[in-house]
């Protein structure tokens, strides 16, 4: 029998006893009233005791009691005890989390909905010079680099922003924002000083080597031309050797030129002026066709059919660096002609499409395997077929294109199918349009 049932039975038995005694003595009503009052007083006393115990937090062992009240005390006491255990466990976990984040080599700052600092670890305090008193301050009041302000306001946190540390300018930080929860952000900063130093060393090395190779190459080319002029064609071995040497020095010259251009793209500020793109494209097409007709066998016949179809559907101009854009567009056109049959047409289209300005270069050539598409813009990447067939090229052309477009806030989209052809689309944002 449950305790409350026992209490009920006891109450009923008491009532029965009081009724019998009351019936015999003729004091039924006063006795029942006294019983009711007694029961009520007892319950009030228990409630009062319980309220007192719970008011003090129920932390002490509960008072001695019997019946259903003992059970109530026991359950509440048990709940409280479990809660205390859980709290202790949670506190321990938070402590461990705090200790581990404090020990992290990367800086971490928890930002509130208004970008105010809620918490920062030791590394963050060191590299950003944050104090305990900065809690609640907006991060933009403490890290005031324009590129960081732009980054935080842009809301685009796919990539990190590179900043010097505000307390030590010799430390370079890669700062990244991670959004989580409702409007909360975590700022993570990694010390990339060594990485940047290595990168700079690599760039300097490539730039120096390419630069130093220019002079010997020019001397070699000069002597080769003289030797070729002196060649009377008596020895076929000598003639083919000269031709091969000339081909290889030209290839090396292209490599050096492309490497120097890439270095310039990485290190130099670009010029920004309003470029008449339709005029630039017409000029590029003319130049490329002239070079093509000179090198093509058909030129011997004297009437090479134009392979390039240029369609200028918009007259918009864009802000940028003419030299860089010329080099990117020429590379794309050269590739389209190089990797498609000599009698196929290459279409070049300059047009506006809703919020982008587009340059499409489409060929009906050999195409690119789907797996190769993401890799063709990597430096020195050339598909295996091109290497085997020894198709001329440096593998740097599309890397240059990608870099130039990136410097113009533009993107390169490649769609291609093996055996059918390729479409290279350069997308410029409307903000680049100028008059
Ligand atoms: P390169 O042409 O000097 O080899 P690029 O960087 O210009 O170097 O191109 C990289 C690779 O991408 C090429 O080797 C070729 O395999 C592929 N590629 C580029 N453009 C085209 C195209 N229009 N059609 C087919 N393949 C192409």
């Amino acid at each position: 029998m449950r305790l409350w049932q026992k209490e009920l039975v006891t109450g009923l038995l008491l009532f029965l006893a009081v009724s019998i005694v009351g019936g015999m003595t003729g004091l039924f009503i006063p006795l029942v009233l006294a019983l009711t009052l007694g029961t009520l007083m007892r319950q009030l006393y228990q409630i009062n005791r319980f309220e007192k115990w719970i008011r003090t937090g129920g932390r002490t062992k509960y008072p001695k009691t019997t019946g259903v009240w003992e059970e109530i005390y026991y359950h509440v006491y048990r709940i409280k005890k479990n809660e205390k255990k859980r709290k202790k466990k949670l506190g321990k976990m938070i402590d461990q989390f705090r200790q581990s984040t404090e020990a992290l080599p990367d800086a971490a700052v928890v930002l509130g909905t208004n970008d105010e600092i809620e918490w920062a670890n030791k590394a963050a305090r060191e590299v950003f010079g944050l104090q305990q008193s900065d809690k609640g301050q907006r991060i933009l009041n403490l890290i005031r680099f324009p590129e960081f302000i732009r980054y935080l306001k842009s809301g685009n946190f796919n990539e990190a922003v590179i900043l010097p540390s505000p307390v030590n300018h010799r430390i370079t930080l890669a700062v990244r924002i991670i959004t989580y929860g409702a409007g909360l952000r975590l700022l993570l900063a990694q010390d990339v000083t060594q990485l940047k130093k290595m990168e700079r060393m690599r760039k300097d090395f490539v730039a120096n080597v390419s630069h130093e190779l220019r002079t010997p190459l020019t001397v070699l080319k000069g002597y080769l031309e003289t030797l070729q002029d002196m060649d009377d064609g008596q020895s076929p071995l000598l003639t083919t050797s000269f031709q091969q040497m000339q081909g290889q020095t030209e290839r090396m010259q292209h490599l050096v030129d492309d490497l120097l251009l890439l270095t310039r793209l990485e290190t130099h500020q670009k010029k920004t002026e309003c470029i008449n793109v339709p005029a630039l494209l017409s000029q590029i097409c003319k130049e490329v066709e002239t070079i093509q007709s000179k090198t093509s066998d058909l030129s011997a016949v004297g009437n090479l059919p134009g392979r390039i179809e240029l369609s200028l559907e918009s007259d918009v101009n864009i802000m940028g660096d003419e030299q860089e854009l010329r080099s990117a567009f020429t590379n794309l056109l050269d590739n389209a002609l190089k990797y498609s049959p000599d009698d196929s047409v290459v279409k070049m289209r300059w047009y506006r499409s809703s919020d982008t300005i587009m340059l499409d270069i489409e060929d009906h050539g050999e195409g690119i395997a789907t797996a190769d598409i993401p890799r063709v813009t990597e430096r020195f990447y050339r598909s295996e077929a091109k290497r085997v067939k020894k198709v001329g090229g440096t593998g740097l052309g599309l890397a240059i294109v990608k870099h130039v477009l990136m410097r113009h806030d533009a993107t390169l989209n490649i769609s291609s199918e093996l055996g059918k052809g390729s479409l290279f689309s350069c997308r410029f944002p409307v903000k680049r349009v100028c008059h």
Side-chain angles (χ1 to χ4, degrees), residues 188-201:
L188 288 179
Q190 196 182 13
D191 185 343
V192 288
T193 316
Q194 280 307 320
L195 215 75
K196 287 281 152 193
K197 205 169 152 190
M198 300 280 286
E199 208 176 289
R200 209 164 31 247
M201 275 166 69

Side-chain angles (χ1 to χ4, degrees), residues 210 217 248-261 380 393-396:
S210 317
L217 252 178
Q248 291 305 320
T249 39
E250 253 166 36
R251 191 170 128 71
M252 210 154 155
Q253 178 87 57
H254 280 140
L255 256 170
V256 168
D257 288 347
D258 281 357
L259 279 172
L260 280 173
L261 178 57
F380 295 111
T394 59
L396 291 170

Side-chain angles (χ1 to χ4, degrees), residues 14-82:
L14 257 172
F15 179 74
L16 200 71
V18 165
S19 305
I20 294 168
V21 176
M24 287 193 314
T25 56
L27 292 169
F28 178 74
I29 293 178
L31 279 178
V32 168
L33 260 175
L35 176 68
T36 314
L37 215 65
T39 313
L40 200 70
M41 292 303 284
R42 189 174 153 252
Q43 293 305 335
L44 272 175
Y45 168 72
Q46 290 286 22
I47 289 171
N48 184 38
R49 251 191 358 161
F50 183 71
E51 192 268 337
K52 245 191 207 160
W53 178 71
I54 209 87
R55 188 158 15 103
T56 55
R59 279 190 292 270
T60 50
K61 183 87 181 134
Y62 52 87
K64 244 186 147 38
T65 182
T66 52
V68 76
W69 278 101
E70 186 177 8
E71 198 164 346
I72 291 172
Y73 274 115
Y74 170 71
H75 286 306
V76 174
Y77 179 70
R78 208 173 45 123
I79 290 169
K80 284 263 166 203
K81 214 171 153 185
N82 284 345

Side-chain angles (χ1 to χ4, degrees), residues 107-111 119 176-180 184-188:
V109 184
V110 175
L111 301 175
W119 174 84
R176 196 159 178 190
I177 299 278
I178 290 145
T179 48
Y180 69 98
L184 296 175
R185 301 168 189 213
L186 177 68
L187 181 148
L188 288 179

